[in-house]
Amino acid sequence: MPLRVWENLSPAGIVSVIVFECGVESSVFMGRNGLRHKSKAAISNKIYVGDCLTELGRLPDESVDLVFADPPYNLQLDGDLLRPNNTVVDGVHQDWDKFQSFAAYDEFCRQWLEACRRILKPNGAVWVIGSYHNIFRLGVALQDLGFWIQNDVIWRKTNPMPNFRGKRFTNAHETLIWAGREQTSRVTFNYEALKASNDDLQMRSDWLFPICSGPERLKDSTGRKAHPTQKPEALIHRILLASTSPDDVVLDPFFGTGTTGAVAKRLGRKWIGIERDTGYALDAQRRIDRVVPLGPDEIAPLPAKRTEPRVPFGTIVELGILEPGTRLVDERRRFRADVRADGTLALSGRNAVRGSIHRLGAEVQGKAACNGWTFWHFEAEGKLKPIDVLRQEARQQLGLVEKRPKVILTNK
């Protein structure tokens, strides 16, 4: 439903703003002492307009799967930054990025991080992003509060703002920290999907994206950028694909112009935004209203192998997918073993050397352990394939998954 706003000034000087969002009505009340929120809407798919600490305090315990936070950077800018031609750089000069001291900034960050930790589910996680001005302070706060850091990620910018004074390196990256709510949290990580999207290579922790520009950059009525630190949708897209599932609830406590909400809606995630600036909030809502969600098939995640039903190697033999006597080799054809009827392997020509696919794989390599599913290969359609692919056919025959085209064995 398109965004509609009514503003009514009461004798007490209170402005009431009624916002229709996602087809549900909510109310925002602005008073002399800040913004107070009353809502008839559900917790998700809405923007809470107000101070982030106040609004975080109203959210239920353990109600959010992921937090993405792009907090004030505390840039400590003193005066205007000029280009060589003496034009002013349109940087971050807003009051929300100004703090009296490092101690005041640290206290603010610890308060909102502690609030986020309370509303995260036990297996929830947080992403925070920052520059050299604040990211190290945020990292200390995260660890002091009990979060468990999974990774730091470098966002390397293809088109960073140059260093106009020529007195230091160009700031060409920002740092993200991904952390679980606690050490025991089993955070979501869609490893297989990320690897598949990266040409079957493990996704690294250095990401290359341009800064937000062009048509994606929101502009105000004068043509200037609506928000000074709008993040690119591609960055949020990767974060949500990596660490959430469809229908998860994603919270952004510094919502700005709604990049997190727009990407979450498109990817079938629920979202919550907290933003104290009503102008930013209205821009965000209009933006999100224009987003068309992808269909269920388009956002269905690639299943993680650890979540698939377990199939022992002996079942592969019992179902006749691999016949006893089938020759298996390693990927470089250095070692050969034959399948036995009881689901064990025997080294070719050395029948006394027998064991499970894992034990025999480790023994021939002189190692303590081995994943036999990926070490041993069979020949099919003229190519070597790991026996791991046969587990999917076994699951189909057992009725554990939907049927797919059958792998054809060409020889023993």
Side-chain angles (χ1 to χ4, degrees):
M1 179 179 292
L3 180 74
R4 293 184 284 172
V5 179
W6 291 264
E7 296 186 355
N8 298 308
L9 184 63
S10 72
I14 299 176
V15 179
S16 174
V17 183
I18 311 297
V19 182
F20 282 79
E21 48 191 356
C22 301
V24 184
E25 181 180 344
S26 66
S27 301
V28 180
F29 297 91
M30 184 186 301
R32 290 191 181 94
N33 296 324
L35 293 166
R36 294 179 292 111
H37 184 84
K38 275 182 157 184
S39 175
K40 300 176 185 177
I43 186 173
S44 58
N45 300 333
K46 69 183 284 70
I47 302 172
Y48 291 82
V49 182
D51 173 76
C52 77
L53 296 178
T54 301
E55 300 305 327
L56 284 169
R58 296 175 180 173
L59 297 178
D61 293 353
E62 300 184 358
S63 58
V64 168
D65 297 285
L66 186 80
V67 173
F68 172 80
D70 183 10
Y73 286 6
N74 192 26
L75 295 179
Q76 311 115 46
L77 294 177
D78 184 18
D80 291 332
L81 178 61
L82 301 178
R83 298 184 179 89
N85 62 2
N86 286 326
T87 59
V88 178
V89 176
D90 188 11
V92 182
H93 301 286
Q94 285 77 3
D95 289 340
W96 49 255
D97 194 58
K98 297 176 182 177
F99 293 82
Q100 291 184 345
S101 64
F102 284 126
Y105 182 76
D106 291 345
E107 178 61 22
F108 168 70
C109 289
R110 288 174 182 272
Q111 288 180 18
W112 69 258
L113 281 169
E114 189 171 20
C116 286
R117 191 167 186 266
R118 176 186 63 79
I119 64 176
L120 277 171
K121 296 177 183 178
N123 292 325
V126 60
W127 287 80
V128 296
I129 184 171
S131 66
Y132 68 88
H133 302 86
N134 68 330
I135 195 64
F136 304 108
R137 313 188 80 86
L138 289 168
V140 171
L142 283 165
Q143 291 186 312
D144 286 349
L145 291 171
F147 289 91
W148 190 258
I149 294 178
Q150 304 286 328
N151 277 109
D152 66 331
V153 173
I154 298 299
W155 165 31
R156 188 158 61 92
K157 304 173 183 179
T158 61
N159 52 345
M161 181 183 294
N163 184 273
F164 295 107
R165 293 177 179 173
K167 295 183 177 180
R168 60 179 70 179
F169 296 109
T170 295
N171 296 322
H173 77 278
E174 292 187 35
T175 302
L176 301 102
I177 299 176
W178 171 40
R181 194 186 81 165
E182 53 203 4
Q183 184 176 358
T184 58
S185 297
R186 295 175 61 87
V187 299
T188 298
F189 181 53
N190 297 314
Y191 169 82
E192 285 82 5
L194 290 172
K195 184 177 180 181
S197 70
N198 196 39
D199 294 338
D200 286 328
L201 298 174
Q202 287 188 344
M203 184 68 72
R204 292 162 45 117
S205 61
D206 52 337
W207 299 352
L208 185 66
F209 292 115
I211 63 174
C212 186
S213 59
E216 184 182 330
R217 188 93 200 201
L218 270 63
K219 304 292 178 63
D220 62 18
S221 58
T222 66
R224 295 166 62 93
K225 54 190 178 184
H227 194 287
T229 62
Q230 181 181 338
K231 295 300 181 286
E233 291 189 5
L235 180 69
I236 309 302
H237 180 102
R238 180 171 292 179
I239 288 171
L240 296 191
L241 283 184
S243 51
T244 64
S245 302
D247 287 327
D248 277 0
V249 178
V250 180
L251 166 71
D252 187 334
F254 307 98
F255 204 54
T257 49
T259 302
T260 302
V263 177
K265 180 180 177 182
R266 185 170 186 268
L267 294 177
R269 276 68 171 168
K270 299 173 184 176
W271 56 271
I272 301 170
I274 298 176
E275 176 52 54
R276 75 178 193 176
D277 187 294
T278 53
Y280 291 159
L282 295 177
D283 285 340
Q285 191 62 62
R286 294 188 185 99
R287 176 186 186 182
I288 294 169
D289 285 342
R290 294 192 296 267
V291 173
V292 178
L294 297 172
D297 290 342
E298 295 169 313
I299 62 172
L302 184 67
K305 289 184 178 180
R306 65 185 178 186
T307 65
E308 294 179 329
R310 180 178 177 272
V311 176
F313 182 70
T315 302
I316 304 292
V317 179
E318 292 166 348
L319 293 175
I321 298 173
L322 274 182
E323 295 286 346
T326 301
R327 174 67 51 84
L328 302 181
V329 297
D330 69 299
E331 190 174 18
R332 295 169 59 185
R333 298 182 184 271
R334 296 169 300 170
F335 308 107
R336 294 175 294 176
D338 299 323
V339 177
R340 293 294 180 248
D342 60 2
T344 62
L345 298 186
L347 281 185
S348 299
R350 298 171 60 189
N351 194 53
V353 183
R354 295 179 62 172
S356 70
I357 58 173
H358 310 297
R359 180 179 174 184
L360 199 62
E363 185 170 337
V364 297
Q365 298 178 87
K367 296 182 177 180
C370 169
N371 182 352
W373 289 108
T374 56
F375 178 76
W376 295 108
H377 291 63
F378 65 96
E379 190 165 348
E381 300 171 349
K383 297 180 180 178
L384 288 181
K385 296 185 178 183
I387 57 175
D388 189 39
V389 303
L390 300 177
R391 286 197 284 186
Q392 189 66 11
E393 184 174 339
R395 294 187 185 103
Q396 293 169 10
Q397 291 193 26
L398 295 171
L400 301 177
V401 296
E402 294 182 3
K403 290 190 175 183
R404 296 179 182 176
K406 186 177 180 179
V407 177
I408 301 175
L409 301 180
T410 56
N411 69 332
K412 292 187 177 181

